[in-house]
Amino acid sequence: MSAILAPVAAATEESPMTDGFHLVIDALKLNGITTLYGLPGIPITDLTRKAQGEGMRVISFRHEQNAGNAAAIAGFLTGKPGVCLTVSAPGFLNGLTALANATINCFPMILISGSSEREIVDLQQGDYEEMDQLAIARTLCKAAFRVLHAEDIGVGIARAIRSAVSGRPGGVYLDLPAKLFAQTMDAAAGRRSLIEVVDPAPLQIPASEAVQRALDLLKSAKKPLILLGKGAAYARADAEVRALVERTGIPYLPMSMAKGLLPDTHELSASAARSFVLPEADVVLLVGARLNWLLSHGKGKTWGGKDAKAWGGQKFIQIDISPTEADSNVRIDAPLVGDIGSCVSALLAGMGADWPRAPADWVQAVAERRNKNVAKMADTLAKDPKPMNFHSALNVVRDIVKANPDAMLVNEGANALDFTRAIVDMYKPRKRIDVGTWGVMGIGMGFAVAAAVEIGQPVIAIEGDSAFGFSGMEVETICRYQLPVCVVILNNNGVYRGTDKNLGGGSDVAPTVFVKDARYEKLIEAFGGVGVYATTPAELRQGMEQAIRSRKPTLINAIIDETAGTESGRITNLNPQRQAAASSSA
Ligand code: ADP
Ligand code: TPW
């Protein structure tokens, strides 16, 4: 038997041995990864125990998808890959949705799953939880690796880290077969085999011609617009982005997770004038934002105005770390490939002292539209309907976030998402985390746990009642770790709303309707948390203030009008029956 495979029992005083468990733990710690999100079971139970024993924080969940979502958002919030640990086949599959979602959203995460031995999997001999996990994961993430020998653990973890955070960040799968953990090797050789990754996310400096091309186009603009995406939030180039906006005086529009990069109350924010600025702008500078469905693919009515069939003819400058992102939907006239900090710095440097400010008539037109819409919204928010509706409830949340700008805001649902994004101003970068690129339900409690663990600030999770159900059992996790999370369920008795009828007239309720007057607050009381039943803005306010003050796990069941809410929120137009109706009337 080679020294590598010698059992731990063979270790002597002179030649201490290490094993696969400790090499994984040591490799992660060496790279500054100190928290694991996961769910124990064969073959990784001992890994979670030993990791905790070695001083890592191990946050144990009730479902792997939530652990995976926690790891993904930890990656976004810290810039280091978040790590999720699962058992084989079913645990792995449960984590896979989160891995795919992380990849789509450009969040760096590593899913580590235990697996069966190759010999059995490849002959399909029917092992306990047997599955060819590596093959399945490969198509759903940025990179996938398997480690078969203890002396390769250092390389495996290093490659996983680099793959997750370099270039466009994303999800990485690392397959660790059960036998790997028990393999032993000489401890000193083991230490030497580990790699502390040097410069895992290298800066990518843009070419000077590309910078000049972008500057020339920007200078020609009569109605320039800056569009900030969550890539800009992730890049942590907060000062550079702010300088770009303020030096040029160009109005900017933040995508939902870029809110707060500059305070939403900034005089150049065009958030409240979105439908005015998109078709009106002539040159748009995209900073870490893709022209995907969230931006109507850069064409159609959103960009061309009411009568446009194709595209409004805007010219685009796109800053992105991925060289293949440009031209994904419409022509990008000036692609600027590099990391956002380097690209924005290069633009600023190239502007020189006499760079003109954005044309005053354009800036003023945007401001007028914004102020008009803000005033209109203020009127709506001032109303106090009975029962509460989205606006009167979110008016309270708006005040609480204003008073606690360091708090983290988690948000999911349809109407609950759209209204929160529009009503609740953000004041600091990377404070708003939500359903992201896929508009996926189920991120809520995983994101809330990781936000509390990583940032240490109070977390406010604004949840549709349907959205909450996807990860609701994790309120036990929130209580177990005593995390300062205040969940607010905007409860309208169903998916989108609670009033749909069974089209067949039978006794089953409609597919979108839930139990009426469900007492969600009792869920958290079962685990020692604070439950609040709120039917008025005053009760909601008191509950939220108390939760933030006490930092106690709290769930507020905010009862709103069950007729409030439109189907699919703001993306009703994507429903097939609506599209059919639109094309038949065209
Ligand atoms: P949003 O949904 O907010 O519009 P997207 O997720 O569509 O944002 O786009 C984020 C973009 O940011 C991706 O195309 C990604 O490649 C890019 N990106 C991520 N990190 C960086 C970085 N450090 N520098 C430059 N671009 C980045
Ligand atoms: C994984 C489809 C989009 S929004 C939503 C669903 C089920 C819930 C809307 O109701 P909710 O919010 O949360 O009560 P509100 O304010 O409108 O009443 N499965 C996944 N992702 C998505 N997006 C869906 C289903 C969906």
Side-chain angles (χ1 to χ4, degrees), residues 296-524:
S296 308
H297 306 283
K299 50 196 170 192
K301 287 180 186 162
T302 307
W303 292 86
K306 262 218 278 306
D307 302 323
K309 285 272 179 262
W311 164 43
Q314 286 85 357
K315 299 224 180 267
F316 288 97
I317 304 166
Q318 183 162 33
I319 301 182
D320 205 290
I321 201 149
S322 165
T324 54
E325 183 53 39
D327 304 333
S328 59
N329 286 274
V330 295
R331 182 177 62 236
I332 299 299
D333 305 272
L336 196 49
V337 176
D339 69 278
I340 286 164
S342 300
C343 290
V344 174
S345 298
L347 288 178
L348 287 167
M351 282 174 180
D354 57 346
W355 186 265
R357 286 188 69 78
D361 52 346
W362 164 241
V363 177
Q364 197 183 335
V366 176
E368 271 167 21
R369 181 63 69 107
R370 181 194 63 223
N371 295 343
K372 196 173 106 196
N373 289 345
V374 167
K376 214 158 83 190
M377 177 64 91
D379 288 345
T380 312
L381 293 177
K383 294 188 181 130
D384 185 15
K386 312 245 172 353
M388 273 195 290
N389 63 10
F390 285 102
H391 289 88
S392 60
L394 288 168
N395 188 37
V396 173
V397 179
R398 175 186 163 92
D399 289 349
I400 302 275
V401 170
K402 187 173 184 188
N404 300 277
D406 287 313
M408 298 291 307
L409 186 75
V410 176
N411 191 198
E412 63 177 334
N415 298 278
L417 177 89
D418 294 334
F419 286 121
T420 305
R421 188 180 55 231
I423 293 169
V424 178
D425 288 332
M426 304 306 298
Y427 300 87
K428 297 197 173 179
R430 293 170 295 283
K431 292 294 180 189
R432 191 192 144 86
I433 47 185
D434 66 29
V435 299
T437 304
W438 266 348
V440 68
M441 297 300 111
I443 50 87
M445 297 305 103
F447 278 17
V449 168
V453 165
E454 302 289 343
I455 308 299
Q457 295 288 341
V459 178
I460 298 166
I462 304 299
E463 302 272 315
D465 49 330
S466 164
F468 171 75
F470 287 73
S471 66
M473 193 63 208
E474 303 297 345
V475 293
E476 189 275 330
T477 311
I478 290 168
C479 290
R480 186 167 10 113
Y481 295 102
Q482 283 297 301
L483 299 173
V485 176
C486 174
V487 181
V488 177
I489 298 179
L490 298 176
N491 184 0
N492 58 0
N493 295 340
V495 178
Y496 311 130
R497 58 177 175 256
T499 49
D500 285 1
K501 297 283 174 271
N502 178 337
L503 294 180
S507 58
D508 286 352
V509 295
T512 52
V513 169
F514 293 161
V515 165
K516 303 276 181 212
D517 198 27
R519 300 303 294 259
Y520 289 102
E521 76 283 5
K522 292 188 191 293
L523 265 175
I524 202 164

Side-chain angles (χ1 to χ4, degrees), residues 7-324:
V8 179
T12 63
E13 284 287 309
E14 300 80 56
S15 66
M17 304 294 283
T18 187
D19 58 19
F21 288 115
H22 287 94
L23 287 165
V24 171
I25 294 163
D26 292 347
L28 291 170
K29 282 170 64 180
L30 184 65
N31 285 289
I33 295 171
T34 53
T35 304
L36 295 177
Y37 298 93
L39 202 159
I42 294 173
I44 52 113
T45 315
D46 266 350
L47 182 61
T48 59
R49 283 200 195 101
K50 288 175 201 281
Q52 198 172 43
E54 297 290 329
M56 292 186 85
R57 184 129 200 235
V58 181
I59 305 291
S60 215
F61 282 76
R62 305 300 294 261
H63 191 290
E64 290 89 349
Q65 189 178 121
N66 306 320
N69 284 326
I73 209 66
F76 172 78
L77 291 172
T78 64
K80 277 191 223 151
V83 175
C84 173
L85 198 57
T86 79
V87 302
S88 27
F92 156 77
L93 287 172
N94 284 346
L96 205 50
T97 308
L99 184 70
N101 190 53
T103 307
I104 287 294
N105 280 281
C106 317
F107 299 155
M109 98 172 245
I110 303 172
L111 174 68
I112 301 181
S113 296
S115 62
S116 297
E117 305 318 319
R118 297 295 333 141
E119 296 83 342
I120 301 178
V121 173
D122 290 349
L123 276 172
Q124 298 179 22
Q125 293 178 303
D127 202 8
Y128 167 70
E129 299 189 349
E130 174 193 305
M131 176 176 271
D132 190 356
Q133 296 166 197
L134 187 70
I136 292 163
R138 214 183 274 291
T139 57
L140 294 169
C141 58
K142 235 184 119 178
F145 305 101
R146 177 189 293 124
V147 182
L148 290 176
H149 302 293
E151 70 265 34
D152 292 332
I153 286 173
V155 169
I157 301 261
R159 286 183 66 64
I161 292 172
R162 268 196 199 285
S163 302
V165 295
S166 61
R168 172 182 277 177
V172 176
Y173 175 62
L174 189 61
D175 194 81
L176 302 184
K179 274 194 194 146
L180 176 79
F181 297 113
Q183 285 179 25
T184 61
M185 66 185 288
D186 173 76
R191 266 195 303 281
R192 283 195 301 276
S193 73
L194 301 185
I195 296 174
E196 184 175 0
V197 179
V198 176
D199 196 12
L203 293 181
Q204 295 191 22
I205 314 295
S208 54
E209 311 85 78
V211 174
Q212 197 52 53
R213 192 184 298 121
L215 285 171
D216 290 345
L217 182 51
L218 195 60
K219 203 168 208 170
S220 73
K222 306 256 176 313
K223 298 175 174 181
L225 177 69
I226 294 174
L227 232 155
L228 303 174
K230 61 179 167 312
Y234 176 77
R236 289 165 178 70
D238 306 345
E240 291 90 337
V241 168
R242 189 176 189 128
L244 179 73
V245 170
E246 293 185 343
R247 256 192 74 193
T248 59
I250 297 177
Y252 73 95
L253 199 57
M255 299 300 286
S256 89
M257 282 177 58
K259 275 166 70 78
L261 208 44
L262 287 91
D264 279 335
T265 47
H266 195 283
E267 58 177 8
L268 288 167
S269 168
S271 279
R274 189 179 194 272
S275 58
F276 172 70
V277 291
L278 291 182
E280 283 290 318
D282 60 353
V283 174
V284 179
L285 168 53
L286 298 160
V287 185
R290 286 171 285 188
L291 280 176
N292 55 17
W293 70 280
L294 287 159
L295 283 167
S296 308
H297 306 283
K299 50 196 170 192
K301 287 180 186 162
T302 307
W303 292 86
K306 262 218 278 306
D307 302 323
K309 285 272 179 262
W311 164 43
Q314 286 85 357
K315 299 224 180 267
F316 288 97
I317 304 166
Q318 183 162 33
I319 301 182
D320 205 290
I321 201 149
S322 165
T324 54

